Amino acid sequence: MSKAVLVMGGDGIGPEVIDQAVRVLEAIANADGLNLNIEHRPYGLACYRDHGVLMSEETLADLLEADGVLFGATGGPGYEQVPREVHMQSSLLRIRKEMDVFANLRPVRVPDALLDVSPLRAEVVRGTDLIFVRELTSGLYFGRPKTIEALADGGERGIDTQSYTTAEIERVARAAFDLAGSRDRRVCSVDKSNVMESGRLWRRVVSEVAGDYPDITLTHLLGDNCGMQLVLAPTQFDVILADNMFGDILSDVAAATMGTLGTLPSASFSAPGPDGRRRAFYEPVHGSAPDIAGQGAANPVAAILCVAMLLRHSLERPDLGQRLEAAVDAALAAGVRTRDICPAGGQAVSTEDMAGAILAELAKA
Ligand code: IPM
Ligand code: MG
């Protein structure tokens, strides 16, 4: 049976990098006889200009049915003209919520070829290979009340609510422990239990879940300390489990230790449905980068590594995912670099040529 892959390039550099990711996916599908049904849907400002919405309700329905969704990026100049209701109706946050993709995996791996890109000393970052499991559909991003209210003194009060239930913590903790079982068997859970009630519950529930995983080592770090440890000694981590807000911030911190966002993929999963299928949403961590959009300068590696994650997790071909990751490493090791990872004085290649170099490595494998 064929697998349905839904593609939305979105805004900024999203379409450019996703085009190259699809090119790579199609090449692999052709070479290895994968039966894929790849369909494209409009998302973002271009869709808003044509249809008055960022994404149609039909597209949302299709997202829920797809075996995997490959998404580029959202945001950039022009969004200030999109009315708030339109934005809320079809924002990335609504997609995450509707798809219920609560477990967001963000691997951060520093290949030796990119050691010179890091702002940290090579001996500090060498060998970094960690992965975030970020809770993606609750916490501060979604908790109610969430509003700006008027005050009697003429001022206003902005309110967001940090809230987590036992069930929400438990399911994302299980995702982290399950993942650790296929890695170095260590989970570091992040909270702010010295200050926040939601943090106290988070730590308690995660510790209880750990009881079901006797072969996994659980440690806890306060969020601020985790930020510091990521910069001082990123190699100490295997799986980092974090709530929505900490996961957002700390994954950017970890990315900065690499020196670029341009190579980091992510994947988000729901719980399995009655048919055993998990909804899955793949997006590069880097965002829309409007300053370089349309120049052919963007790094397609993050989007291409999203394809590797798609192969592993949704298309049941971990072997092909691994081969693609090896091809990316080989192209980087051969010195092929887009601008964001190109050493001063080096010759940067285009988005398309970076993907071409990866395809060439794949063909050799
Ligand atoms: C991310 C992004 C998003 C988030 C934005 C674009 C809403 O920063 O995926 O990390 O905050 O989750
Ligand atoms: Mg972020």
Side-chain angles (χ1 to χ4, degrees):
M1 225 185 56
S2 89
K3 297 268 190 187
V5 178
L6 206 84
V7 178
M8 296 196 293
D11 301 306
I13 60 170
E16 302 164 47
V17 295
I18 290 299
D19 275 355
Q20 297 308 315
V22 170
R23 175 183 169 207
V24 169
L25 178 60
E26 282 174 341
I28 293 174
N30 288 337
D32 293 271
L34 295 187
N35 189 359
L36 300 183
N37 176 17
I38 302 176
E39 290 194 24
H40 295 256
R41 294 284 185 280
Y43 180 90
L45 278 180
C47 183
Y48 176 68
R49 270 181 228 115
D50 294 345
H51 308 289
V53 288
L54 295 175
M55 172 187 68
S56 71
E57 292 295 313
E58 295 80 65
T59 297
L60 185 60
D62 293 340
L63 289 177
L64 301 184
E65 292 307 313
D67 290 296
V69 178
L70 191 55
F71 183 79
T74 172
Y79 266 86
E80 60 292 342
Q81 282 138 41
V82 179
R84 189 160 167 76
E85 320 76 73
V86 173
H87 196 184
M88 297 316 282
Q89 173 268 337
S90 45
S91 68
L92 185 57
L93 297 190
R94 170 145 188 243
I95 295 177
R96 290 172 177 173
K97 192 73 175 174
E98 296 275 343
M99 290 181 74
D100 199 22
V101 284
F102 63 90
N104 176 220
L105 275 47
R106 299 191 162 188
V108 179
R109 204 173 48 87
V110 181
D112 281 349
L114 290 186
L115 284 176
D116 54 344
V117 180
S118 172
L120 301 179
R121 291 192 310 280
E123 64 265 31
V124 176
V125 274
R126 183 177 288 114
T128 298
D129 181 6
L130 59 85
I131 184 162
F132 285 92
V133 176
R134 170 189 176 194
E135 199 293 324
L136 203 62
T137 55
S138 182
L140 261 179
Y141 278 56
F142 294 96
R144 302 279 153 176
K146 187 177 195 67
T147 189
I148 300 178
E149 65 181 23
L151 294 180
D153 69 2
E156 292 174 292
R157 171 163 42 203
I159 302 171
D160 293 279
T161 303
Q162 166 76 329
S163 130
Y164 271 107
T165 64
T166 307
E168 287 169 341
I169 301 168
E170 194 180 321
R171 65 178 186 171
V172 74
R174 288 198 185 281
F177 284 106
D178 287 339
L179 183 64
S182 66
R183 297 177 46 103
D184 201 36
R185 301 181 177 276
R186 291 180 293 125
V187 172
C188 175
S189 172
V190 178
D191 61 51
K192 195 70 184 166
S193 56
N194 55 341
V195 177
M196 296 170 73
E197 294 305 312
S198 56
R200 288 196 326 131
L201 183 67
W202 180 278
R203 188 171 288 214
R204 175 148 57 80
V205 173
V206 172
S207 301
E208 279 162 18
V209 171
D212 293 343
Y213 296 84
D215 59 334
I216 309 280
T217 306
L218 170 66
T219 53
H220 303 275
L221 273 185
L222 296 174
D224 49 352
N225 189 9
C226 183
M228 187 169 77
Q229 294 300 327
L230 277 167
V231 178
L232 290 177
T235 58
Q236 70 184 284
F237 295 106
D238 180 26
V239 176
I240 300 179
L241 168 63
D243 74 10
N244 207 341
M245 191 75 190
F246 276 134
D248 181 44
I249 297 169
L250 294 173
S251 61
D252 266 31
V253 173
T257 66
M258 282 199 66
T260 177
L261 277 174
T263 59
L264 300 178
S266 88
S268 309
F269 302 103
S270 72
D275 58 356
R277 197 176 58 86
R278 288 172 191 276
R279 284 188 292 277
F281 189 81
Y282 299 86
E283 60 178 318
V285 174
H286 52 59
S288 63
D291 51 320
I292 60 162
Q295 299 173 14
N299 191 343
V301 164
I304 289 169
L305 289 177
C306 284
V307 168
M309 294 187 90
L310 172 81
L311 287 161
R312 270 180 197 281
H313 298 287
S314 297
L315 304 181
E316 289 147 32
R317 291 303 300 266
D319 55 321
L320 295 178
Q322 198 172 5
R323 242 173 66 199
L324 178 52
E325 284 158 6
V328 169
D329 279 355
L332 293 172
V336 187
R337 303 291 174 89
T338 43
R339 204 159 70 191
D340 57 314
I341 51 174
C342 191
Q347 184 65 43
V349 303
S350 68
T351 309
E352 195 180 337
D353 287 348
M354 185 81 226
I358 292 166
L359 280 174
E361 293 294 341
L362 257 184
K364 285 186 209 163

